[in-house]
Amino acid sequence: MRSALTILALVSAQPCFAQTDLRPPPPPPAGRPLEAGTAGWSITVGVAPVLSPAWQGSRDMALSIFPDLRINYKDTIFASIPDGLGWNGVNRDGWKAGPLAKLRFGRDEERGGSPFLITGGSDALRGLGDVDAAVEVGGFVEKRAGPWRGRIEVRRGFGGHDGVVADGSVAYQARRGRTIINIGPRATL
Protein backbone atom coordinates (compact mmCIF):
# COMPACT_ATOMS: atom_id res chain seq x y z
CA MET A 1 0.00 0.00 0.00
CA ARG A 2 2.85 2.42 0.84
CA SER A 3 4.48 1.73 -2.51
CA ALA A 4 1.25 2.44 -4.38
CA LEU A 5 0.74 5.73 -2.50
CA THR A 6 4.35 6.74 -3.10
CA ILE A 7 4.20 6.01 -6.83
CA LEU A 8 0.83 7.79 -7.17
CA ALA A 9 2.15 10.89 -5.38
CA LEU A 10 5.34 11.04 -7.45
CA VAL A 11 3.55 10.54 -10.78
CA SER A 12 0.72 13.00 -10.14
CA ALA A 13 2.75 15.93 -8.78
CA GLN A 14 2.73 18.85 -11.19
CA PRO A 15 3.77 22.42 -10.41
CA CYS A 16 1.26 25.21 -10.89
CA PHE A 17 2.24 28.63 -12.13
CA ALA A 18 0.72 31.98 -11.25
CA GLN A 19 1.03 35.15 -13.28
CA THR A 20 1.31 38.48 -11.56
CA ASP A 21 0.55 40.64 -14.61
CA LEU A 22 -1.40 39.58 -17.69
CA ARG A 23 -0.25 42.54 -19.82
CA PRO A 24 2.62 41.79 -22.19
CA PRO A 25 5.94 43.41 -21.21
CA PRO A 26 7.04 46.42 -23.25
CA PRO A 27 9.46 45.59 -26.05
CA PRO A 28 13.18 46.21 -25.43
CA PRO A 29 14.69 49.41 -26.81
CA ALA A 30 15.72 49.12 -30.45
CA GLY A 31 19.15 47.59 -30.92
CA ARG A 32 19.31 46.02 -27.41
CA PRO A 33 18.26 42.43 -26.71
CA LEU A 34 16.07 41.77 -23.68
CA GLU A 35 18.32 40.54 -20.86
CA ALA A 36 17.47 37.37 -18.96
CA GLY A 37 15.81 37.90 -15.61
CA THR A 38 14.27 41.33 -16.31
CA ALA A 39 10.66 40.20 -15.88
CA GLY A 40 10.38 41.45 -12.27
CA TRP A 41 8.52 39.38 -9.69
CA SER A 42 7.45 35.79 -10.35
CA ILE A 43 5.49 33.41 -8.14
CA THR A 44 5.27 29.65 -8.63
CA VAL A 45 2.88 27.47 -6.62
CA GLY A 46 2.91 23.68 -6.54
CA VAL A 47 3.42 20.59 -4.43
CA ALA A 48 6.54 18.53 -3.91
CA PRO A 49 6.20 14.88 -2.90
CA VAL A 50 9.30 13.81 -0.97
CA LEU A 51 10.20 10.22 -0.12
CA SER A 52 12.99 10.36 2.45
CA PRO A 53 14.20 8.88 5.73
CA ALA A 54 11.69 9.54 8.54
CA TRP A 55 14.40 11.58 10.32
CA GLN A 56 18.05 12.23 9.50
CA GLY A 57 19.90 8.94 9.89
CA SER A 58 16.75 6.77 9.97
CA ARG A 59 16.37 3.54 8.02
CA ASP A 60 12.57 3.96 8.05
CA MET A 61 11.10 5.83 5.09
CA ALA A 62 8.33 8.45 5.08
CA LEU A 63 6.31 10.18 2.36
CA SER A 64 5.64 13.89 2.83
CA ILE A 65 3.84 16.36 0.57
CA PHE A 66 5.49 19.79 0.90
CA PRO A 67 3.91 23.01 -0.36
CA ASP A 68 6.20 24.39 -3.06
CA LEU A 69 5.84 28.18 -3.03
CA ARG A 70 8.64 29.99 -4.88
CA ILE A 71 9.03 33.75 -5.11
CA ASN A 72 11.72 35.36 -7.27
CA TYR A 73 12.66 38.92 -8.13
CA LYS A 74 14.35 38.90 -11.53
CA ASP A 75 17.34 36.58 -11.23
CA THR A 76 18.51 38.35 -8.09
CA ILE A 77 16.44 37.39 -5.02
CA PHE A 78 14.81 34.00 -4.38
CA ALA A 79 12.69 32.52 -1.61
CA SER A 80 11.22 29.03 -1.25
CA ILE A 81 10.97 26.23 1.31
CA PRO A 82 13.58 23.96 -0.35
CA ASP A 83 15.98 26.72 -1.52
CA GLY A 84 15.61 29.16 1.39
CA LEU A 85 15.96 32.95 1.14
CA GLY A 86 18.94 34.09 -0.87
CA TRP A 87 20.55 36.72 -3.04
CA ASN A 88 22.56 36.06 -6.21
CA GLY A 89 25.35 38.55 -5.38
CA VAL A 90 27.47 37.03 -8.15
CA ASN A 91 25.51 36.16 -11.30
CA ARG A 92 27.57 35.91 -14.49
CA ASP A 93 28.99 33.40 -16.96
CA GLY A 94 26.96 30.52 -15.45
CA TRP A 95 28.22 31.27 -11.91
CA LYS A 96 25.98 32.25 -9.01
CA ALA A 97 27.06 32.91 -5.43
CA GLY A 98 25.74 34.75 -2.42
CA PRO A 99 24.29 34.66 1.08
CA LEU A 100 21.58 32.17 2.01
CA ALA A 101 19.23 31.45 4.94
CA LYS A 102 17.15 28.29 5.28
CA LEU A 103 14.56 26.99 7.71
CA ARG A 104 15.24 23.48 9.04
CA PHE A 105 12.05 21.95 10.38
CA GLY A 106 12.20 20.47 13.87
CA ARG A 107 11.81 16.83 14.76
CA ASP A 108 8.82 15.37 16.60
CA GLU A 109 9.62 12.23 18.60
CA GLU A 110 6.16 10.83 17.71
CA ARG A 111 6.21 11.41 13.93
CA GLY A 112 9.78 12.03 12.77
CA GLY A 113 11.19 15.04 10.95
CA SER A 114 8.49 16.21 8.54
CA PRO A 115 5.62 18.52 9.50
CA PHE A 116 3.95 17.48 6.22
CA LEU A 117 4.07 13.69 6.79
CA ILE A 118 1.50 11.67 4.81
CA THR A 119 2.55 8.07 5.48
CA GLY A 120 5.42 6.17 7.04
CA GLY A 121 7.53 7.47 9.88
CA SER A 122 9.35 5.88 12.78
CA ASP A 123 8.77 5.30 16.48
CA ALA A 124 12.52 4.93 17.15
CA LEU A 125 12.73 8.49 18.55
CA ARG A 126 10.22 7.99 21.39
CA GLY A 127 11.71 9.12 24.67
CA LEU A 128 14.39 11.31 23.03
CA GLY A 129 12.26 14.46 23.03
CA ASP A 130 11.43 16.92 20.29
CA VAL A 131 13.97 19.11 18.47
CA ASP A 132 12.98 22.72 17.73
CA ALA A 133 13.13 24.25 14.27
CA ALA A 134 16.39 25.95 13.32
CA VAL A 135 17.42 28.77 11.01
CA GLU A 136 20.59 28.06 9.04
CA VAL A 137 22.61 31.01 7.71
CA GLY A 138 25.51 30.80 5.26
CA GLY A 139 26.29 30.99 1.58
CA PHE A 140 26.26 29.11 -1.72
CA VAL A 141 28.20 28.74 -4.96
CA GLU A 142 26.59 27.35 -8.12
CA LYS A 143 27.81 26.67 -11.65
CA ARG A 144 25.55 25.99 -14.61
CA ALA A 145 26.75 24.51 -17.91
CA GLY A 146 23.92 23.82 -20.35
CA PRO A 147 21.37 21.56 -18.65
CA TRP A 148 23.84 20.68 -15.84
CA ARG A 149 24.06 22.39 -12.45
CA GLY A 150 26.53 21.91 -9.60
CA ARG A 151 25.86 23.58 -6.24
CA ILE A 152 27.57 23.75 -2.84
CA GLU A 153 26.06 25.35 0.28
CA VAL A 154 27.58 25.83 3.75
CA ARG A 155 25.33 27.01 6.61
CA ARG A 156 25.48 27.35 10.41
CA GLY A 157 22.40 26.54 12.50
CA PHE A 158 20.74 28.73 15.13
CA GLY A 159 17.88 27.55 17.34
CA GLY A 160 17.20 23.80 17.06
CA HIS A 161 20.90 23.09 16.38
CA ASP A 162 24.15 25.01 16.30
CA GLY A 163 26.16 22.82 13.93
CA VAL A 164 27.57 23.48 10.46
CA VAL A 165 25.77 21.89 7.50
CA ALA A 166 27.22 21.46 4.00
CA ASP A 167 25.11 20.41 1.00
CA GLY A 168 26.47 19.43 -2.40
CA SER A 169 24.57 18.45 -5.53
CA VAL A 170 24.96 17.82 -9.24
CA ALA A 171 21.79 17.78 -11.34
CA TYR A 172 20.61 17.47 -14.91
CA GLN A 173 17.59 19.70 -15.56
CA ALA A 174 15.05 19.20 -18.34
CA ARG A 175 11.88 21.15 -19.07
CA ARG A 176 8.77 19.54 -20.56
CA GLY A 177 6.15 22.24 -21.04
CA ARG A 178 5.45 23.65 -17.57
CA THR A 179 7.13 20.74 -15.78
CA ILE A 180 10.77 20.96 -14.71
CA ILE A 181 12.58 17.69 -14.00
CA ASN A 182 15.82 17.56 -11.96
CA ILE A 183 17.81 14.34 -11.75
CA GLY A 184 21.06 13.90 -9.87
CA PRO A 185 22.78 12.99 -6.61
CA ARG A 186 22.81 15.10 -3.40
CA ALA A 187 24.85 14.81 -0.26
CA THR A 188 24.58 16.51 3.12
CA LEU A 189 27.40 16.65 5.68
Side-chain angles (χ1 to χ4, degrees):
M1 183 67 181
R2 282 188 197 174
S3 298
L5 285 173
T6 302
I7 292 170
L8 179 64
L10 292 174
V11 171
S12 65
Q14 291 291 320
C16 302
F17 297 94
Q19 286 183 286
T20 57
D21 190 359
L22 298 177
R23 293 174 286 157
R32 278 186 48 200
L34 183 63
E35 295 176 14
T38 59
W41 291 97
S42 69
I43 299 173
T44 306
V45 179
V47 294
V50 176
L51 180 64
S52 65
W55 44 271
Q56 289 183 357
S58 174
R59 291 186 179 140
D60 298 318
M61 299 301 285
L63 175 65
S64 301
I65 304 291
F66 284 86
D68 194 6
L69 173 65
R70 296 173 184 264
I71 301 171
N72 294 300
Y73 179 71
K74 297 186 179 183
D75 196 17
T76 306
I77 298 172
F78 57 89
S80 71
I81 291 174
D83 296 330
L85 173 63
W87 171 56
N88 293 321
V90 173
N91 193 356
R92 62 181 1 204
D93 301 325
W95 287 96
K96 291 184 181 183
L100 177 68
K102 284 188 172 183
L103 174 65
R104 174 82 62 179
F105 294 108
R107 184 186 75 204
D108 183 321
E109 71 175 326
E110 301 282 327
R111 295 172 42 97
S114 173
F116 306 104
L117 182 69
I118 299 298
T119 185
S122 171
D123 59 359
L125 299 174
R126 290 207 174 134
L128 295 178
D130 297 339
V131 176
D132 293 333
V135 174
E136 297 174 346
V137 179
F140 72 96
V141 175
E142 175 180 309
K143 174 63 175 163
R144 288 185 183 256
W148 291 94
R149 175 181 101 153
R151 184 176 177 100
I152 297 173
E153 299 177 4
V154 177
R155 304 176 309 275
R156 182 181 185 280
F158 298 92
H161 77 85
D162 60 0
V164 175
V165 178
D167 290 330
S169 66
V170 175
Y172 177 83
Q173 187 176 76
R175 183 176 210 119
R176 302 287 181 247
R178 290 187 157 192
T179 303
I180 298 172
I181 301 167
N182 282 301
I183 300 170
R186 282 182 176 214
T188 298
L189 303 171

